[in-house]
Amino acid sequence: MSINQLILRNLKKNLKNYFLYVFALIFSVALYFAFVTLQFDPAMDEAKGSIKGAAALKAGTVMLVAIVSIFLLYANNIFIKRRGKEIGLFQLIGMTKSKIFRILTIENFILYFGSLIIGIFIGFSASKLLVMILFKVTKVDAVATLHFSEQALTQTLIVFGVIYLLIMLMNYVFIKRQSILALFRVISSTEGKVKKLSAFEIIIGIVGLILIVTGYYISSKLFSGDFTTMIELFLAMAGILASVIIGTYLFYKGSVSFIFHLIRKKKDGYLNINQVLSLSSIMFRMKSNALLLTVITTVSALAIGLLSLAYISYYSAEKTALNYVAADFAFTNPEEAEQFTDKLTKNGIEYREKRMDVVQIEANLKHIMDANMDGLMMDPTKMQLAVVSDQVIKNIDVEPGETVFTGYNDLLQKFMTLKDSGDIELKGQTEVIPLTYLGLNKDFVVSWYFTGGGSPTAIVDQTVFERLRNNLNPEIQRESSQYIGINLKNEAQLEKANTLFTGMTFKNERANDSRLEISNVQKQTMGIALFIVGFLGLTFLITSGCILYFKQMGEGEEEKPNYTILRKLGFTQGDLLKGIRGKQLFSFGIPLVVGLSHSYFAVQSGWFLFGAEVWTPMIIVMLLYTALYSSFGFLSVVYYKKVIKEAL
């Protein structure tokens, strides 16, 4: 057989066995090229005033290069070791190491740069779609066009050319260092198996579970008031990170084997064929891959967590805007409000207007604060509140000696939790009015201009409100003391009305607000983060899923003689596949479940910093990640089915 025939045969074999690697490489190149193209797209220049995406996209491409580089180098390490016997045979028939390296270099060059060309073509074709998606999620009104960038092409070729050189260097070092005997033993030496569960493994397994649970517990207390200074908060976060990562490693190193050992012991060692193929295999395989699985689980948790938080902020944009602005449009200047309503009338837009007086009062909330305020640099006896009369609030009527709070920011509630009832004092310039606090309502009744962005508004009886208004402390009053809320009768005209609002010039831009505009700004800000994190997460999901798939391919080849024996003993293909499905469920399911668990507790500990809605966006992200991740488990079952079929 000539060298050319040998290369063609090996290429055909590699494409057949490692098609998923080729797919991942093509996908990575396509995504990278499309990302870089965005940076040089003229359409993005038109949107620079709306989104600050250039720096974010550059950071995304750097992260993408890091993920792809690690994946390609690791995958190549797996492949070169899998071909150890083949390389050893080449040496036995008289080939020199240099000639073998040249053959592998030509094979990799054709496979790698063939995938690179296909990936660039797909990336170019998909670049317009990416721009359209980006403009959609960021609410940018711009036209996406298909644009080819020579700078993006050059940058892509340089980056992936460097990765190719690193791969060739890795192959060269591997071939030079290995003896013929070592090449025939390389697979078995890299896939260590432990035949017996030791006491030490039981101990580290228990410690791993304890560390993970400890990290979860501390994360649940992170913003509950137990950590009142930034140093304490930082140390707690570092402790959580270390505890969970170390615990995850020990979990794979000992906990999985320990748990499965207990299951085997409960069955007195009598396992059916399904349990032998699933439990027993996982017990001895997972500990040898503990470091790899820890990395995959940690980065998966990070990807799911960041994507969840970005989507929480994006998903909560409308709810956050509702908290900031209690009407479709809010004004504090009567003249400017009148100018806006005149514009609405001229454009045939019907509206409802509501006005209320708002005063700023210093309050003593010491007896209803259910949190330690020492580390927050706030004095609960001197809290500033917006106060309104119950006459302007529907369905609320309080007695002269009572008050109800309404509209409290979720973030502030975590740090400054209010009790259900208690006594407070409202302080005027010379008079202090004691009141009984009756509780907290969720509705926001004035704009953030009066509440400072999240403090509650106190609702008092009209007589109390008059006493306070006649005894104001001028040092803490806002420029305006009147809230003017304008709601449209037809929500379909909101976009048109918002265009009229944004076209106006105000004396104080921060004193007037549009709920829709605040929502759009938040979506623009978080949309770029959601876009980048989403595609980076997808890239990592595909690369990590491929790595686990490659590991299963290697294990399948190693276990092929076992399947031959089982088939000869009378077990059918269906019997073996049941056990294989169980094995894949554990192999892919355990890292997935642990990663989802890590991300859940991470999101729960601080989601309120990002938005007002948590469950819907978090569940959507987790379900999508699970569905995509599970596809690699399905592909592994398909591959094992082929191995079992070839066992006889």
Side-chain angles (χ1 to χ4, degrees):
M1 181 182 294
S2 66
I3 296 297
N4 291 336
Q5 290 175 325
L6 181 62
I7 292 173
L8 289 174
R9 184 187 68 83
N10 287 339
L11 279 174
K12 184 178 179 181
K13 179 182 176 182
N14 289 339
L15 282 172
K16 183 179 179 182
N17 291 334
Y18 304 129
F19 69 93
L20 205 56
Y21 166 75
V22 175
F23 165 76
L25 176 58
I26 292 173
F27 174 83
S28 300
V29 173
L31 188 58
Y32 180 81
F33 181 76
F35 254 96
V36 178
T37 299
L38 288 181
Q39 298 178 35
F40 302 103
D41 195 328
M44 292 293 293
D45 294 334
E46 297 176 14
K48 280 183 179 177
S50 303
I51 56 172
K52 297 178 175 62
L57 286 171
K58 287 181 180 177
T61 54
V62 172
M63 290 293 296
L64 187 59
V65 168
I67 293 173
V68 172
S69 300
I70 294 172
F71 162 69
L72 292 176
L73 291 172
Y74 188 87
N76 180 75
N77 184 54
I78 293 176
F79 298 153
I80 195 68
K81 288 179 178 179
R82 293 297 172 199
R83 299 184 68 179
K85 289 183 179 179
E86 181 183 353
I87 295 171
L89 287 173
F90 286 161
Q91 291 189 46
L92 284 176
I93 63 175
M95 283 190 184
T96 63
K97 290 185 176 182
S98 298
K99 191 171 185 179
I100 295 171
F101 175 70
R102 284 201 304 271
I103 292 172
L104 293 180
T105 301
I106 295 172
E107 288 178 14
N108 277 278
F109 183 88
I110 296 172
L111 194 65
Y112 188 91
F113 284 95
S115 301
L116 185 63
I117 293 171
I118 296 173
I120 290 173
F121 176 76
I122 295 175
F124 168 67
S125 303
S127 59
K128 181 179 177 180
L129 177 62
L130 287 185
V131 174
M132 292 173 63
I133 294 173
L134 180 59
F135 287 169
K136 180 68 175 178
V137 298
T138 53
K139 302 296 181 180
V140 172
D141 187 15
V143 178
T145 58
L146 191 62
H147 172 72
F148 182 81
S149 170
E150 294 181 358
Q151 298 101 313
L153 176 63
T154 303
Q155 189 170 322
T156 302
L157 291 175
I158 291 173
V159 168
F160 283 89
V162 171
I163 296 174
Y164 174 76
L165 292 177
L166 291 174
I167 290 174
M168 291 303 98
L169 178 62
M170 177 185 290
N171 290 349
Y172 180 80
V173 172
F174 176 81
I175 294 172
K176 283 294 184 182
R177 285 185 175 180
Q178 299 293 332
S179 65
I180 295 178
L181 183 60
L183 286 169
F184 281 99
R185 295 187 308 181
V186 68
I187 295 178
S188 60
S189 63
T190 56
E191 296 288 355
K193 297 182 182 179
V194 181
K195 297 299 182 182
K196 186 178 180 181
L197 190 68
S198 65
F200 176 72
E201 289 171 336
I202 294 175
I203 293 172
I204 65 173
I206 295 173
V207 171
L209 293 173
I210 293 173
L211 285 174
I212 292 175
V213 172
T214 301
Y216 288 171
Y217 176 77
I218 297 174
S219 70
S220 67
K221 299 292 183 181
L222 201 58
F223 295 103
S224 63
D226 293 348
F227 307 101
T228 56
T229 66
M230 290 304 296
I231 294 178
E232 290 180 355
L233 197 61
F234 175 77
L235 291 176
M237 289 180 176
I240 292 169
L241 192 63
S243 178
V244 171
I245 291 177
I246 296 172
T248 302
Y249 176 76
L250 297 180
F251 172 80
Y252 290 123
K253 201 70 177 175
S255 301
V256 174
S257 298
F258 174 61
I259 294 171
F260 286 178
H261 175 74
L262 293 178
I263 296 174
R264 290 180 63 179
K265 191 173 182 181
K266 186 177 180 180
K267 294 179 176 293
D268 295 325
Y270 294 101
L271 304 179
N272 58 36
I273 186 63
N274 297 336
Q275 293 161 344
V276 169
L277 291 174
S278 56
L279 295 182
S280 299
S281 178
I282 294 298
M283 283 181 66
F284 303 129
R285 293 282 187 182
M286 198 157 277
K287 66 181 67 176
S288 63
N289 299 321
L291 181 59
L292 170 66
L293 293 173
T294 300
V295 173
I296 289 177
T297 301
T298 303
V299 182
S300 291
L302 182 64
I304 298 170
L306 289 177
L307 188 55
S308 295
L309 293 175
Y311 191 38
I312 284 170
S313 184
Y314 186 85
Y315 187 87
S316 303
E318 294 179 4
K319 180 68 179 294
T320 302
L322 183 64
N323 293 347
Y324 275 113
V325 187
D328 291 332
F329 302 92
F331 292 85
T332 59
N333 186 313
E335 293 180 0
E336 292 175 341
E338 187 174 346
Q339 292 175 14
F340 180 65
T341 54
D342 288 344
K343 288 178 177 291
L344 294 180
T345 303
K346 289 178 182 178
N347 284 272
I349 301 175
E350 297 183 347
Y351 63 90
R352 293 185 296 270
E353 182 179 302
K354 183 176 183 178
R355 301 191 178 208
M356 66 175 75
D357 293 328
V358 186
V359 297
Q360 300 295 318
I361 297 295
E362 187 178 280
N364 180 2
L365 307 182
K366 181 178 180 180
H367 299 295
I368 65 170
M369 282 290 183
D370 193 17
N372 182 5
M373 303 284 290
D374 295 338
L376 299 177
M377 305 296 291
M378 294 183 181
D379 186 355
T381 64
K382 297 180 180 180
M383 302 291 291
Q384 187 173 323
L385 294 181
V387 180
V388 299
S389 169
D390 62 352
Q391 283 192 353
V392 294
I393 306 298
K394 283 185 178 181
N395 303 321
I396 293 182
D397 183 18
V398 295
E399 297 298 324
E402 299 173 343
T403 182
V404 171
F405 286 1
T406 190
Y408 196 18
N409 182 275
D410 289 334
L411 175 59
L412 288 179
Q413 286 193 66
K414 291 290 182 179
F415 293 96
M416 299 183 295
T417 306
L418 298 179
K419 296 179 181 178
D420 294 333
S421 61
D423 297 324
I424 70 167
E425 293 177 341
L426 299 184
K427 304 175 184 179
Q429 190 170 22
T430 60
E431 183 183 12
V432 177
I433 303 176
L435 297 173
T436 300
Y437 167 70
L438 301 180
L440 176 68
N441 292 339
K442 292 184 177 181
D443 297 331
F444 287 73
V445 296
V446 295
S447 63
W448 71 277
Y449 171 81
F450 296 101
T451 63
S455 298
T457 301
I459 302 174
V460 299
D461 182 76
Q462 177 64 22
T463 58
V464 175
F465 183 79
E466 291 295 338
R467 288 170 62 188
L468 292 171
R469 185 159 56 179
N470 295 329
N471 194 242
L472 293 177
N473 180 357
E475 295 182 0
I476 64 172
Q477 299 308 305
R478 296 281 193 269
E479 225 178 282
S480 172
S481 61
Q482 188 174 52
Y483 164 78
I484 305 170
I486 298 173
N487 284 302
L488 303 189
K489 293 184 178 180
N490 184 2
E491 290 296 322
Q493 296 177 305
L494 191 56
E495 289 278 359
K496 184 178 181 180
N498 187 63
T499 302
L500 297 175
F501 177 87
T502 54
M504 294 180 63
T505 302
F506 303 109
K507 294 179 181 179
N508 184 354
E509 295 288 344
R510 295 174 59 83
N512 305 312
D513 290 294
S514 162
R515 184 187 294 168
L516 178 61
E517 190 64 19
I518 290 178
S519 174
N520 287 343
V521 168
Q522 181 166 334
K523 286 183 177 180
Q524 289 170 6
T525 303
M526 296 311 303
I528 185 70
L530 181 64
F531 176 82
I532 293 174
V533 173
F535 279 98
L536 288 178
L538 180 61
T539 304
F540 174 77
L541 184 150
I542 290 178
T543 54
S544 61
C546 286
I547 288 174
L548 290 177
Y549 174 80
F550 299 149
K551 298 293 287 185
Q552 294 303 307
M553 284 178 61
E555 292 177 11
E557 292 297 327
E558 287 182 37
E559 295 169 356
K560 192 172 181 179
N562 299 335
Y563 302 142
T564 302
I565 295 172
L566 291 172
R567 290 292 301 276
K568 288 180 178 179
L569 290 174
F571 291 101
T572 65
Q573 181 177 322
D575 295 331
L576 299 183
L577 277 176
K578 288 180 182 178
I580 293 302
R581 291 191 189 100
K583 178 185 176 182
Q584 300 313 307
L585 181 64
F586 288 123
S587 296
F588 287 88
I590 291 176
L592 175 63
V593 170
V594 176
L596 290 173
S597 179
H598 290 354
S599 62
Y600 169 80
F601 281 94
V603 170
Q604 286 295 319
S605 67
W607 66 269
F608 44 84
L609 298 170
F610 295 85
E613 302 283 346
V614 59
W615 287 107
T616 300
M618 183 176 67
I619 290 173
I620 289 174
V621 169
M622 289 185 172
L623 287 177
L624 285 174
Y625 198 93
T626 300
L628 293 172
Y629 194 87
S630 300
S631 62
F632 292 96
F634 173 76
L635 290 174
S636 294
V637 173
V638 172
Y639 178 80
Y640 265 93
K641 186 175 181 180
K642 174 187 171 184
V643 172
I644 293 172
K645 189 179 292 185
E646 295 173 351
L648 277 181

